Amino acid sequence: HECVERGLGSGAIHNTRMSDDDAGSGVDDSFPYTLHWDRPNVCGCAPTPRCWQTVEAHGNNVVVFGGFDGKKKYLNDVYLLDTEVMAWRRQKCEGLSPPGRYAHSSCLYQRPEDGHEVLIVVGGGNGKAFFNDVCILDLQTLEWSQPKVDGRPPAQRAAHATAIVGG
């Protein structure tokens, strides 16, 4: 399961501020929200059932990439959920799409050279092999690229995490 929350008021999970009556009641104020599950009405072309995908919050969108259909298909599709109108769409992307994969990791990064936010996808597998590649989807132009990475690459990997540190 994946869950993202970035102030998506009407999203799958949203925050509700505790009342001032909770002050001094022994409630830990370091996390001043209660979580509330909601099942909003959602329209559009939803992603097919899958597992081991990645999910990231990007502005008012939730981005879903890849995964495994639980039978025999390793996916490399991109879906966007517009949280303003709660509508799914399958996103057509330009460039060379990465091979279908599951158990990969992803994170978002804002490139300083153009200010575009990009989805960085790392590793994963396809049932025959595991990957150690890096694939980038520019979320403004919706174009995939596979950058040349200097240095010694890590071993192939799956079911791992990716994060941006200090950047």
Side-chain angles (χ1 to χ4, degrees):
H1 299 291
E2 296 277 344
C3 174
V4 293
E5 193 285 327
R6 193 187 268 182
L8 306 174
S10 61
I13 293 181
H14 61 88
N15 295 334
T16 306
R17 178 82 170 115
M18 290 175 152
S19 71
D20 290 336
D21 295 337
D22 292 332
S25 65
V27 174
D28 181 3
D29 287 336
S30 64
F31 187 74
Y33 302 99
T34 57
L35 296 178
H36 170 78
W37 285 100
D38 194 7
R39 188 172 287 226
N41 292 323
V42 181
C43 61
C45 179
T48 57
R50 63 192 61 214
C51 58
W52 293 90
Q53 74 281 357
T54 55
V55 179
E56 300 288 345
H58 167 62
N60 293 325
N61 289 291
V62 175
V63 181
V64 176
F65 171 71
F68 177 58
D69 74 355
K71 298 174 187 161
K72 59 184 173 185
K73 190 166 183 182
Y74 299 91
L75 306 165
N76 68 345
D77 49 5
V78 175
Y79 283 85
L80 299 176
L81 173 64
D82 181 331
T83 61
E84 293 283 313
V85 295
M86 297 309 292
W88 282 108
R89 74 176 182 270
R90 184 173 180 170
Q91 186 60 59
K92 182 178 183 325
C93 298
E94 301 297 323
L96 180 62
S97 297
R101 63 188 61 211
Y102 77 110
H104 53 284
S105 64
S106 69
C107 64
L108 295 181
Y109 176 68
Q110 187 170 11
R111 288 191 306 223
E113 64 268 20
D114 60 13
H116 292 193
E117 197 162 25
V118 296
L119 176 72
I120 301 173
V121 176
V122 178
N126 66 3
K128 296 177 186 166
F130 291 105
F131 308 126
N132 65 348
D133 59 350
V134 175
C135 305
I136 296 177
L137 177 62
D138 183 315
L139 293 170
Q140 184 168 332
T141 65
L142 296 168
E143 184 171 352
W144 282 106
S145 63
Q146 286 75 34
K148 180 182 181 303
V149 179
D150 294 328
R152 184 175 172 201
Q156 292 87 353
R157 60 195 60 233
H160 59 284
T162 298
I164 300 297
V165 177

